[in-house]
Amino acid sequence: MFKKYQLKNGLKVLLIESHKSPVLSIQMWVKTGSADEKKGEEGISHFIEHLVFKGSRKFDVGEIASTVEGAGGELNAYTSFDQTVFYVTISKEFQNVGLEVISEMMGFPRFDQAEIDNEREVVIEEIKRSNDSPHRQASRLLFSSIYKKHPYGIPVIGYAENINTVSRKVLLDYFHSRYNPDNMTLVVVGAFESAKMRKQVDAFFGKFSKSKLRVVKRPPVARRKRPQVIVEKAPFNETIVHVAFPVPKASHKDIAALEIFALIFGQGESSRLNRRLRMNEHLVNYAGSSVFVARDPGFLALSLSLNEKDLSRSLICLREELCDALKEPPTDSEFRKALTNLASEQFYSLETVDGLARSYGHYQDLFGDPNYFKKFIKQVQSLTPLEIIKTAKKYLDPNKITVVAMSPSERSRVEPTIKSWLKEVRRDFRQVLASRPAHKSTKLSRIKFALNNRAQIRGEIEKWLLPNGITIITRPSMDTPVLSVRCASLGGSRLEGPTSQGATELLSRVWTAGAGSLSEVDLNHKIDEMAASISGFGGRNSQGLSMSCLRSFSTEMMDLFCEVWKNPLFEQVAVNREIKSMIEHIKLRADNPAQVCVLAFLKGLFGDHPYGRDPYGSAESIQNLTRETVQEIYSRRSGLTIVGSGALNPIEFRRHIEDALGDQKIDNANFEPRAIIYPQSDIRVFEQSNKQQSHIVYGFPGLNMTSPDRYALQVLQAVLAGQGGRLFVELRDKASLAYSVSPMRMEGVEGGYFGAYIGCSPEKSDTALRMMRDEFTKLAENKISNDELSRAQRYLIGKHDIDLQKNSNISSAILFDHIYGIDFMETYRFAENIRSVKSEDIMSLAQYLFSKPSVISLVGPSAPW
């Protein structure tokens, strides 16, 4: 239940108490975004989002982030077309820190000229990074094509030339004209008492001064009267196609029916589009449908990612599926599945204070009603399948269609294919739109979920060893109606041979391709209709299954989970499909130079050890994979641990597993050690990539996962990490080298790595490498201060507590500790272990790590060596 009120200065406040974890989310929603900018101001909202972090009347540069992270919190922000949102997630012990930081950023930012100039470079690096992303570029092409004279057609991030030249006065004028209390909503969710919080809110935000609010009148979205096709040749390997139809703004009564149509047509493994194009015909890397809803009119989009050679056939399938979808209403089963998935969103959002705050803030900002979701669900549940199809026909008008495509092929090759397809769509749609579907006005009963009223009841964590060798660990909690189950065995890519590399990745993809008497299609449909998920995973050391569901469906989902583990079918059609998809992934890797950089680093550091391999294998090894290869990797797993966290009864959970899996013979969990031969001298790896940014990993041999120094290593990483960490402050805040820079580490069974990553303009590579090396050297030569140690420790402990709001994170932490021989209660002693680390431990570990030969991997236009 929320409490909504307004301060005297006009600031709206939403308070939502949630005592399931000792954490708060404090969010400020500012009703201004890139669509509120004037000509010449493009990108200014996003630029201001960056600048308010750069100091205020009480905080100097870097102190805002270090203060929050030093109190164990996290902070960030984002800008969209319609709003800018700033948020802090923090322990209830430090709620005043979060409130003060948000109030200082929103009410009293400094806008120092030197910092404005520094941050220009950072934003321009962010723009370059987005220019290197095929999906961002395809999305921009779609929006610019639909919104030719409307600000939604302009990138939120803006243009480099504007960022380079915008003055401090323009920034201040925009800030004071739009960051007005009348235009802002503070949302606080978490463990607090409302009466006390009201006093604190008034103390921190009540003194915000009001200024004249600049009223923005956006131009209307032009109504399309003719279809349009826009094709661009791009320097990427992937072909991306968006087919879009205009729809009304978010508050329109038809949006509910359109959301349901999009959900049925192209969302989820069992959706019509995904089933036809990806699963049955193996044509696409991705297929989906979505509705862009915003303050102004939006669109319904059908999106495909594929190899250009499959474009023609993919479009034919899309046309046929669209025609079929518009001829007859969805089945009762499809309709119920869509209703269940929409309604379940609110229950999954209960897991974190951030999720709750985003939900309430979104509906307040867009509709002026934080409770709008309940109204929306009532509207959805009042619909009939016939109304869904009538509404879809109303808006899927081929005369108003926009088709955009971005492809590595020449426009002259792609455009005729799309235009020919569009003619066929217009021809077929004339018949479909004129037809009358069979009368079907059934109204399904409302979807109800059984919620446990015993809120905030938690049981003890228990562990059992079944007679057949299965270990079961339960962590019951009725704080939310969500259950997370994880199981794993030792194995993973270390079981692969020279000709079977990629088999673990293939196993993770096809593990849910049917089980027992259920085909892959049947299994996917059952999972989707319960708004749940089951998926396989495979890593370098293990393989297993993950499941999430609502308590209402836990019995049925546990049946499916056990059946998938026990009797997977590994359908041949799925194996063939995923082999093709993996080969396509390898081909598209050049579009992701950061990933190429990391893989080259791992190869340079670990050599032929499984940790140095590409998890996907190579195009050659993937082609050698078969259904039998998958079955062999699956059968060679060692041991089995199953962990359940959330809305469960421990005795029932154990009994369920015993009944389903008690007849399985489980071998003892053990590893076959693989020695790592680290480099004996420095290694430099360079791969050519003509992108706008270079990507660099600079690293060293690290520790294994049971090393007594592993907690010191995490503190060392935290000294460098976060917006208040050394790498961010020195390389981004002060030197403006990059938008993205961070430390990176991995601990495996035999060993690991520690280092740092940065993405920057090629001409900055040499400076970036030198400055990373300097930061490593400082840690080895000088003890960190007690203040910096305390900040790093609180940062880690706070992040750990925030992560453990989600049952999936809890079950994963318990599971992997146990299978790797660490006490499964270790995650609950995390704070104690982190606090035991001393400054001298950090210095000693840094001397040990950074004295070893290094590996530098660089992907970009050129290397500085």
Side-chain angles (χ1 to χ4, degrees), residues 73-94:
E74 299 177 341
L75 77 164
N76 217 321
Y78 62 87
T79 305
S80 69
F81 293 120
D82 295 328
Q83 61 276 125
T84 309
V85 183
F86 302 83
Y87 52 97
V88 169
T89 309
I90 201 163
S91 165
K92 69 176 184 179
E93 291 183 42
F94 300 104

Side-chain angles (χ1 to χ4, degrees), residues 638-828:
S638 171
L640 176 64
T641 298
I642 303 176
V643 179
S645 177
L648 61 86
N649 178 302
I651 302 302
E652 292 177 0
F653 186 83
R654 173 187 170 177
R655 187 180 300 124
H656 205 134
I657 293 171
E658 271 190 299
D659 291 344
L661 304 178
D663 61 343
Q664 300 288 289
K665 186 180 183 304
I666 306 299
D667 296 330
N668 292 330
N670 61 75
F671 264 120
E672 183 181 327
R674 300 283 187 92
I676 298 174
I677 303 174
Y678 287 115
Q680 299 302 300
S681 59
D682 291 343
I683 290 179
R684 303 294 178 260
V685 181
F686 169 69
E687 291 199 30
Q688 183 87 28
S689 173
N690 293 318
K691 304 291 186 184
Q692 294 191 22
Q693 283 196 319
S694 288
H695 299 264
I696 306 170
V697 173
Y698 185 176
F700 303 82
L703 307 178
N704 65 42
M705 59 179 60
T706 58
S707 167
D709 291 326
R710 64 187 184 275
Y711 288 103
L713 184 64
Q714 291 190 52
V715 177
L716 188 154
Q717 180 184 22
V719 169
L720 297 171
Q723 295 184 46
R726 292 188 179 187
L727 285 177
F728 194 99
V729 171
E730 297 298 326
L731 277 72
R732 174 171 157 160
D733 271 357
K734 293 182 180 179
S736 304
L737 291 180
Y739 171 71
S740 180
V741 56
S742 60
M744 50 189 290
R745 54 170 255 274
M746 183 275 284
E747 289 88 59
V749 175
E750 290 92 3
Y753 64 77
F754 186 87
Y757 161 82
I758 191 168
C760 61
S761 293
E763 66 273 14
K764 298 177 180 178
S765 298
D766 194 33
T767 303
L769 282 167
R770 175 179 54 78
M771 293 189 71
M772 284 194 284
R773 186 182 304 113
D774 288 347
E775 294 308 316
F776 297 149
T777 302
K778 289 176 192 175
L779 287 168
E781 293 181 349
N782 304 290
K783 284 203 304 184
I784 64 173
S785 68
N786 289 333
D787 285 346
E788 194 168 17
L789 174 64
S790 178
R791 173 217 163 257
Q793 290 170 326
R794 285 182 173 178
Y795 172 73
L796 286 170
I797 293 167
K799 189 175 187 306
H800 183 261
D801 288 346
I802 291 167
D803 287 344
L804 291 191
Q805 293 177 92
K806 296 191 72 169
N807 285 302
S808 58
N809 291 339
I810 295 171
S811 59
S812 291
I814 292 173
L815 173 68
F816 289 113
D817 278 347
H818 183 265
I819 68 171
Y820 295 135
I822 301 169
D823 186 345
F824 69 90
M825 291 295 291
E826 185 99 337
T827 192
Y828 290 98

Side-chain angles (χ1 to χ4, degrees), residues 394-619:
K394 180 178 175 182
Y395 292 100
L396 270 65
D397 183 348
N399 293 315
K400 299 177 181 178
I401 196 171
T402 293
V403 185
V404 302
M406 195 182 69
S407 174
S409 298
E410 294 294 334
R411 177 181 171 184
S412 59
R413 176 185 172 95
V414 175
E415 189 174 65
T417 300
I418 295 176
K419 286 187 173 180
S420 175
W421 173 80
L422 186 54
K423 288 181 181 179
E424 293 170 350
V425 168
R426 297 178 75 185
R427 178 201 65 204
D428 291 352
F429 268 40
R430 278 196 294 270
Q431 298 174 356
V432 171
L433 296 178
S435 66
R436 289 189 175 185
H439 184 66
K440 190 174 185 180
S441 58
T442 306
K443 186 182 292 186
L444 297 182
S445 59
R446 289 192 174 185
I447 305 297
K448 294 182 179 180
F449 298 101
L451 300 183
N452 196 316
N453 294 324
R454 297 174 294 162
Q456 298 158 45
I457 294 177
R458 296 184 184 178
E460 296 295 321
I461 297 177
E462 297 182 81
K463 173 185 171 184
W464 295 280
L465 180 63
L466 299 187
N468 67 342
I470 296 177
T471 299
I472 300 174
I473 303 174
T474 58
R475 182 258 182 193
S477 172
M478 300 302 176
D479 293 341
T480 64
V482 177
L483 169 64
S484 171
V485 181
R486 299 283 188 275
C487 77
S489 305
L490 297 178
S493 60
R494 63 176 53 243
L495 302 179
E496 298 171 358
T499 61
S500 63
Q501 292 181 18
T504 304
E505 171 65 23
L506 181 57
L507 168 64
S508 71
R509 288 164 167 254
V510 300
W511 203 332
T512 56
S517 62
L518 295 172
S519 69
E520 183 179 26
V521 171
D522 293 336
L523 180 61
N524 285 336
H525 183 79
K526 280 185 172 291
I527 293 170
D528 282 353
E529 70 180 359
M530 289 185 278
S533 66
I534 297 180
S535 59
F537 63 83
R540 294 177 172 86
N541 305 300
S542 62
Q543 57 205 49
L545 292 173
S546 301
M547 182 192 92
S548 291
C549 69
L550 297 179
R551 178 176 170 269
S552 304
F553 304 115
S554 59
T555 300
E556 298 94 323
M557 285 302 301
M558 281 300 298
D559 286 340
L560 292 178
F561 182 80
C562 292
E563 190 70 4
V564 169
W565 188 89
K566 181 180 179 179
N567 295 311
L569 298 181
F570 303 130
E571 290 185 348
Q572 185 65 56
V573 67
V575 172
N576 295 342
R577 177 189 72 230
E578 296 305 326
I579 285 175
K580 178 181 177 182
S581 177
M582 289 170 64
I583 292 173
E584 190 68 17
H585 177 91
I586 296 287
K587 291 177 181 176
L588 297 178
R589 179 123 341 114
D591 291 342
N592 191 339
Q595 190 179 82
V596 174
C597 183
V598 172
L599 289 171
F601 167 76
L602 295 176
K603 179 65 176 175
L605 185 67
F606 295 115
D608 292 331
H609 190 276
Y611 296 170
R613 299 174 188 162
D614 184 341
Y616 280 76
S618 64

